[in-house]
Each structure stands twice: as structure tokens, then as C-alpha cells.
Amino acid sequence: SSYFFISMLVFFFFFFQAEDGIRDAQESRGLGDVDKRQILCCLCGIVIPPNPAAMCASCIRTQVDITEGIPKEGVLHACQFCNRWLQPPSRWIECELESKELLAICLKKLRGLKEVRLVDASFVWTEPHSKRIKTKLTIQKEVLAGTILQQMFQVEFVVQNQACEQCQRVLTGHETWHACVQARQKTSHKRTFFYLEQLILKHKYDQDVLKVQQMPDGLDFFFGHRSQGNKLIEFLGNWSPIKKSESKELVSQDIKSNTYDYKYSFAVEIAPICKDDLLFLPTKLCTALGGATPLQLCTKVGNTLHLIDFWALKISEINATQYFRYNFPPLLSAARLVEYTIMDVNPLGVETSKWALAELDLVRSDELGSGNLKPVSYTHLTLPTKRIV
């Protein structure tokens, strides 16, 4: 009985100790009061949420530097004459200060960014005349058993003046070219050629041109590299039917090192067909188009010629190979168009999704009100005419 009484005392002692710990709030007395969902940092001993590294963020930063291997300084080369920046290895790009193009050049100068995750990049303001450009980068990297660490740092670039290749040729008087694109369109009215000029300026294909020389039937474009000339020829072929021929001339050679220096010339002939030109197709071409009528009208000029048979309202296309195989000139050009005023429209019932055949009563605009007889015309322009009216 005495043994049972002692065991009952021990049981009640532990029971009251537990109840007392839950009921009363007391100050921290050491490791016993740490929450089971938290741990202590293995270096500084503060209470932190559990993580694979068992260290707080401050201690991880002191132990690991994720910016190691990324240079904190760099050099940028800018041409002081044309305000272009060097993009390695040899390309010069025109960009303004604190632009996204210049930021891309700065990031490509930094080695080691492929081993981390770039979160953010921005410029830090500096004096324009200081020849210094500062960028602020934020990166992330996985360290110490799956722990992701984020760090922010700055990189300073020194701007050095260096004349680009084009400016060097102008300053030294040695404007040497290695590729010449001779674009020609043999027609009295060069509507397609003028349109291509606007496209070249719009898409900035004139940036690599050393000089442009005007010729009787077109223009000569001079480039410093052969690839730049091929790039312009490919662009012209996407917007008009062309025929290309190439030749090269040996400038110099080094037998010991087996190197040769050539000048390349590209002759590009643009099809003389323009929009709104009246065409008379050869017989073999009409057969190849599925028995189309010879008299056709050009409605659009692209990498193919878009034609319409304005009697049957059938659409057909001629690519560059088909055209230069027969190489026929336009029957009448758009330069000989005369303005008429529509007096009356009589639909004939033949329609497509875009065109409709109709009979029109016309009178020349310069003879309007003179009382002359009104000529009758059959046309495919009825649907656009209805929208205008």
C-alpha cells in the first residue's frame, strides 16, 4: 500500500507541472521555451523558421557570395562621331543613354550571368559627361541544400571613345567597299522602286550602307561586307519579283597564309510591272495559269504579281521565276491613266467576295458639264465604288 501511495504522488506531481505550464504565461527561460516549428541559427543562435541550411539570411550572406564570378567593372566602346555603340564582336548599334538596347549591350559584357537567375536590371543615374554608366542588378541563385538566395549589386562601366569602321574610312579617306548591290528597274515610271526605297528606310536597312550612288535605271548600294549585301537582296526579294546575278573581283591575295580579298557585285533586276499596269500575257504563260485570258490587270506587287481577269473576275499570281522566264513588258502603265467621273452604275450579277462586274456610264472629269456623250465601260471596281458612294 505504501508503494501505491508513492506512485500516486509522482503521477499527480507531473500532472500539476504540465497544467501549470499551459495555464500560466512566463518569461523565456532558455531552449526549453522555443517553439517546435522554429529552430536556432547554427551560427548566431537567433530563432528562425526551419530551412535546409539551418542559418538565418544574414549568416548565409556572410558565408556565400552569389555575385562571385560576375565582374563589377567593365568597358564600353562608343563612336563619338555617329553615336553608335559596339556590340561584340564587331557590330555597331545606334542607341541612346539608358535605353533598353544599351542595357542589353551592358548585360552581354558580363560573364557569369548564365549561372544565376537575373531578376531585375536597371540604370543608376550618372552625369552624362562622366564617361561612367552604372547598372543595378538583382540576381537569385540556389545555395546550401536548396536555399534560394537573392542579392543586389552594382556594376560600373567606363565609356571609351572608339571610331567605328565607317567613320574610320571617312576620316582617313579610304572608303573601301567589299560588296555592291546594283538595283535596277527598267521602266519609265518606277513606282515599285520608289516604294522599295521607302521600305528600306522604314525597316532601317540603310544603316550598314557605306554610300549610295544614283544610276540611270536605279541605285548602287555599297557595303563593307558581303553578308550585308545579301541581306538587302533578300529583303528586296520579299517585296518584289527580282532576278539576281553575282560576280567577284580579286583585289589581293596572300599565298603564304592562303587568304584572298574579293570585291563582290550583285546585279538585281526588279520586275518592271507596277500596280494598276495593264498586261498582255504570252500564250504559254496563259496555258500555265490554267487557260487565263491574255489581258490582265495587276492589282498588287509583292514577292509575286497579283493579276485579275476583269471579265471573269479570276485571280492569278505570277512568281519571279515565271515572270523572268517570259520577261514581258506592260502593255499600258499607270502613268497613262485618265480620271473619269462615274455617272451611273448597272450591276451585271457577276460577283466575288471583293469584286463585282458592272456597266458604268463615265465622263472625263476635265470635260464634266460640256455635254459630250458618255462612254460605257465594263469594270470590276463596283464594290469599292459602292463603298465610296
Side-chain angles (χ1 to χ4, degrees):
S1 61
S2 61
Y3 173 78
F4 176 77
F5 178 76
I6 294 173
S7 62
M8 288 294 293
L9 289 177
V10 173
F11 172 78
F12 282 110
F13 172 76
F14 281 105
F15 175 77
F16 284 114
Q17 282 290 100
E19 287 293 328
D20 183 72
I22 295 175
R23 183 174 58 251
D24 298 331
Q26 298 179 358
E27 296 182 357
S28 176
R29 293 170 293 178
L31 300 179
D33 292 334
V34 177
D35 191 352
K36 294 182 180 180
R37 291 172 297 178
Q38 293 180 336
I39 62 175
L40 298 180
C41 177
C42 62
L43 294 181
C44 62
I46 66 172
V47 179
I48 59 173
N51 60 72
M55 288 188 294
C56 62
S58 301
C59 294
I60 292 178
R61 291 190 182 96
T62 58
Q63 298 296 318
V64 181
D65 183 15
I66 63 176
T67 65
E68 185 179 1
I70 303 176
K72 307 302 186 296
E73 295 179 352
V75 178
L76 296 176
H77 296 90
C79 180
Q80 67 271 31
F81 302 101
C82 60
N83 193 26
R84 294 195 297 176
W85 299 76
L86 177 62
Q87 181 179 359
S90 60
R91 186 181 179 186
W92 291 86
I93 299 178
E94 183 177 357
C95 51
E96 300 294 333
L97 292 175
E98 298 190 0
S99 62
K100 60 180 182 180
E101 292 83 6
L102 183 57
L103 183 60
I105 295 177
C106 296
L107 295 179
K108 290 181 180 179
K109 285 278 188 177
L110 301 178
R111 297 181 180 180
L113 285 181
K114 294 183 179 180
E115 301 177 359
V116 298
R117 179 175 178 267
L118 182 63
V119 178
D120 187 24
S122 60
F123 285 101
V124 179
W125 186 85
T126 56
E127 292 287 346
H129 61 274
S130 63
K131 295 295 182 179
R132 298 292 188 274
I133 293 179
K134 293 183 179 180
T135 58
K136 182 173 64 175
L137 307 180
T138 304
I139 59 175
Q140 290 181 351
K141 187 178 181 180
E142 184 177 352
V143 295
L144 299 179
T147 302
I148 298 178
L149 182 63
Q150 179 172 314
Q151 193 168 348
M152 184 183 303
F153 65 102
Q154 291 187 6
V155 181
E156 181 177 350
F157 294 91
V158 179
V159 180
Q160 295 182 357
N161 292 331
Q162 177 180 338
C164 63
E165 296 180 359
Q166 298 182 12
C167 295
Q168 288 178 6
R169 296 189 185 101
V170 174
L171 294 174
T172 57
H174 299 285
E175 284 194 53
T176 57
W177 55 271
H178 289 82
C180 176
V181 178
Q182 303 170 354
R184 302 288 186 268
Q185 187 181 27
K186 299 179 181 179
T187 180
S188 57
H189 61 94
K190 296 178 174 56
R191 296 178 61 190
T192 303
F193 196 88
F194 296 151
Y195 176 63
L196 291 176
E197 286 184 2
Q198 299 299 322
L199 291 176
I200 291 174
L201 297 176
K202 177 181 178 181
H203 295 276
K204 298 182 180 180
Y205 275 82
D206 60 324
Q207 293 183 350
D208 299 327
V209 179
L210 297 180
K211 65 176 180 178
V212 180
Q213 186 174 355
Q214 187 174 1
M215 302 301 290
D217 292 329
L219 297 173
D220 288 350
F221 301 89
F222 296 91
F223 298 92
H225 300 281
R226 180 186 179 185
S227 59
Q228 297 172 349
N230 287 325
K231 185 178 178 181
L232 178 62
I233 294 173
E234 183 181 358
F235 175 77
L236 295 176
N238 292 332
W239 291 95
S240 63
I242 63 172
K243 182 176 67 173
K244 181 190 73 170
S245 59
E246 179 181 350
S247 63
K248 61 181 180 179
E249 178 186 0
L250 179 63
V251 178
S252 62
Q253 64 177 345
D254 188 355
I255 300 177
K256 294 183 179 180
S257 60
N258 196 23
T259 58
Y260 300 87
D261 187 13
Y262 289 97
K263 282 188 175 182
Y264 298 90
S265 298
F266 303 94
V268 179
E269 182 181 353
I270 303 173
I273 307 301
C274 300
K275 184 181 178 182
D276 298 330
D277 284 357
L278 186 64
L279 310 178
F280 191 83
L281 306 183
T283 305
K284 293 183 179 180
L285 182 57
C286 293
T287 305
L289 295 177
T293 57
L295 202 60
Q296 301 273 346
L297 186 69
C298 180
T299 59
K300 181 181 178 182
V301 176
N303 55 355
T304 60
L305 298 176
H306 297 254
L307 309 180
I308 184 172
D309 179 4
F310 42 81
W311 293 104
L313 301 182
K314 292 183 179 180
I315 307 297
S316 57
E317 294 184 9
I318 301 177
N319 55 31
T321 304
Q322 289 177 320
Y323 176 78
F324 286 104
R325 182 183 302 169
Y326 302 99
N327 200 9
F328 53 91
L331 183 63
L332 291 175
S333 64
R336 301 181 60 182
L337 291 175
V338 179
E339 182 180 352
Y340 280 81
T341 301
I342 301 174
M343 306 302 295
D344 193 14
V345 179
N346 299 316
L348 299 179
V350 181
E351 294 186 3
T352 62
S353 59
K354 187 176 181 180
W355 312 106
L357 187 63
E359 180 183 287
L360 303 180
D361 293 336
L362 307 175
V363 62
R364 291 185 60 153
S365 298
D366 54 355
E367 297 179 358
L368 190 63
S370 61
N372 294 338
L373 295 177
K374 294 178 286 187
V376 179
S377 173
Y378 294 95
T379 181
H380 64 290
L381 302 175
T382 300
L383 290 183
T385 303
K386 285 183 178 180
R387 297 190 186 101
I388 295 175
V389 174

